[in-house]
Amino acid sequence: MHIVQEAPLATRTTLHLGGPARFFAEIRTESELLEALAFSDAHQLPIFVLGGGSNLLVPDEGYPGLVLHLVIDGPIKRRGDLFDVPAGTHWDAFVRYVCELGISGIECLAGIPGLVGASPIQNIGAYGEDVSQTIHTVRAYDRHTFAFTTLTRDQCGFSYRESLFNSSQRNRYIITSVTFSLDPTATPNLTYADLRRHFSAATAPPTPLDVYHAVREIRDAKGMLLPDPASGQSIPDHRSAGSFFKNPVVSPSALATIAEALAIPESDIPRYPAPDGQIKLPAAWLLDRAGFHKSYILGEAGISSRHTLALINRGHATYADITRLRDHILQTIQDRFHLVLEQEPVEPRPEPRPELTTQAGHRGRA
Ligand code: EPU
């Protein structure tokens, strides 16, 4: 394992901005992970785990600790309906592999950038599927017990764009592989309007691979097919972190407030059912109605010309430029609709090191 100092992070993220990592290591195996953790212990460094960089907003000052670029790879192992996938596998490559086997369950998640190891963290989802439906177990290093452990789907605490990995136990686990359970008799899920429209003239039911290609086409039309930062491709509308805000999940009474603010009937507000009688509202629609349209510009930051929910780096944006636009949007939405939107991209910030609260010296038990 090789540790580099002052490594640029901007080129490793799809937003292409932010400062360097003080220390940076590529992690290819679980034992390299243990070595890197020993280094962080020895130097009292906070750590941040970087995957595909597609959901990251790096501060201009960079990261003052050790960034672990988790690229653990290797073959996908199939055990009947179970698929063990190393964390560093490209998410879309795994989706394609499964679809080519004619197996359904993750086809609607085609074209999502990033790596398999990051998929449970924010419970990635699109077009009616999310990974909480197919994850069987997650293997991770537990920074509290200093040992590798396996969490079941229930233990992961999944909900919309959330799991224990990004909420109650943030910073505790480092995911090294994910096991998916895929039912070979399942058929593609076509609940979303965009997909149904795509196949409206089809004479035979689409295969998982047909849906894989359809989803990629739809995402591409919305500018949501982000190139891998490592490819060096740089298309202005694509310098984004995908959806910048989560779709707010609100109580039915919030609808009345929005309808009143816009002087429209509640029935004109697009919405989706959410658990416990709550309602999920499209953040893109709310932005649009608050005056933040596609191609909106604020200095070097802007909104994609193809999807209102994607904030973009127009070329030379800094963290400060993006957050100025973000804060302007958040404030306007709050003033107009009394609604607080939540940011989806993660900001790497030093957090308290869990090891410091526990007796040292247990590191390395596998
Ligand atoms: N809409 C607009 N303007 C736009 C785009 C959308 O008003 O420019 C409104 C429309 O009412 C539309 C609704 O928003 O019907 C939903 O739009 P879309 O289907 O594009 O989905 P989304 O809510 O914007 C979510 C996920 C995406 C995922 C798509 C497809 C979140 C935060 N985003 O976006 O995930 O691909 O659904 O299911 O949940 C991501 O998280 O990075 C991401 C791309």
Side-chain angles (χ1 to χ4, degrees):
M1 190 216 27
H2 183 56
I3 293 181
V4 180
Q5 290 194 44
E6 295 304 316
L9 291 176
T11 47
R12 293 186 163 96
T13 73
T14 53
L15 259 172
H16 285 267
L17 56 83
R22 185 169 163 219
F23 294 99
F24 181 90
E26 295 265 333
I27 305 298
R28 303 202 167 273
T29 61
E30 287 187 350
S31 52
E32 283 190 354
L33 172 60
L34 295 178
E35 272 179 63
L37 290 171
F39 178 87
S40 80
D41 277 351
H43 297 84
Q44 297 291 300
L45 295 169
I47 60 162
F48 179 79
V49 178
L50 169 70
S54 54
N55 194 42
L56 263 201
L57 178 58
V58 179
D60 291 331
E61 65 272 22
Y63 186 73
L66 171 63
V67 170
L68 305 177
H69 191 206
L70 224 72
V71 288
I72 296 176
D73 56 7
I76 294 168
K77 291 197 191 107
R78 184 172 181 184
R79 302 177 277 136
D81 293 356
L82 299 182
F83 293 76
D84 301 327
V85 194
T89 309
H90 281 275
W91 171 259
D92 183 68
F94 171 55
V95 176
R96 189 176 176 121
Y97 166 87
V98 166
C99 290
E100 280 175 349
L101 293 173
I103 294 175
S104 179
I106 53 173
E107 64 284 352
C108 292
L109 308 178
I112 294 184
L115 307 180
V116 166
S119 66
I121 297 175
Q122 56 153 343
N123 185 17
I124 60 169
Y127 305 104
E129 281 174 358
D130 64 44
V131 288
S132 76
Q133 298 156 359
T134 42
I135 282 181
H136 181 255
T137 46
V138 172
R139 178 172 162 86
Y141 181 78
D142 181 346
R143 298 179 70 209
H144 284 182
T145 62
F146 307 107
F148 284 95
T149 184
T150 299
L151 293 104
T152 62
R153 176 200 324 220
D154 285 348
Q155 288 173 319
C156 291
F158 289 123
S159 60
Y160 167 64
R161 289 295 189 275
E162 199 175 294
S163 71
L164 63 77
F165 306 112
N166 68 359
S167 58
S168 62
Q169 303 297 319
R170 200 151 60 94
N171 211 29
R172 172 169 174 180
Y173 295 102
I174 301 176
I175 297 171
T176 56
S177 82
V178 184
T179 299
F180 292 82
S181 174
L182 298 168
D183 172 4
T185 63
T187 49
N189 170 341
L190 298 182
T191 49
Y192 268 44
D194 276 350
L195 269 179
R196 278 209 305 270
R197 242 190 327 270
H198 194 277
F199 290 110
S200 57
T203 48
T207 65
L209 197 56
D210 293 336
V211 178
Y212 170 90
H213 289 300
V215 168
R216 286 183 60 96
E217 243 176 71
I218 295 167
R219 290 187 74 96
D220 196 22
K222 294 184 179 181
M224 293 297 211
L225 206 58
L226 305 183
D228 175 356
S231 73
Q233 246 186 306
S234 179
I235 308 161
D237 255 356
H238 283 168
R239 285 200 207 99
S240 87
S243 297
F244 198 89
F245 301 104
K246 296 182 191 176
N247 288 327
V249 177
V250 299
S251 65
S253 67
L255 277 188
T257 311
I258 296 166
E260 200 184 315
L262 291 169
I264 57 170
E266 283 186 27
S267 54
D268 283 3
I269 303 177
R271 77 199 73 172
Y272 311 99
D276 305 323
Q278 303 266 94
I279 298 167
K280 187 150 74 166
L281 299 174
W285 184 88
L286 292 166
L287 258 64
D288 236 358
R289 301 307 298 248
F292 297 104
H293 305 298
K294 295 184 181 99
S295 301
Y296 182 96
I297 290 172
L298 186 64
E300 279 294 319
I303 292 180
S304 159
S305 67
R306 293 191 273 168
H307 199 309
T308 318
L309 210 46
L311 302 196
I312 57 162
N313 170 359
R314 299 180 54 238
H316 300 97
T318 59
Y319 172 88
D321 292 319
I322 296 286
T323 51
R324 192 155 64 100
L325 174 56
R326 171 197 71 189
D327 294 343
H328 180 38
I329 293 172
L330 288 176
Q331 192 63 55
T332 308
I333 296 283
Q334 191 169 358
D335 292 348
R336 287 216 63 187
F337 305 133
H338 303 285
L339 202 65
V340 179
L341 291 183
E342 245 183 277
Q343 173 174 325
E344 202 180 280
V346 170
E347 298 188 19
R349 302 263 181 208
E351 297 202 22
R353 292 160 39 84
E355 298 94 318
L356 296 180
T357 59
T358 329
Q359 204 190 340
H362 300 281
R363 158 104 47 244
R365 268 195 283 131

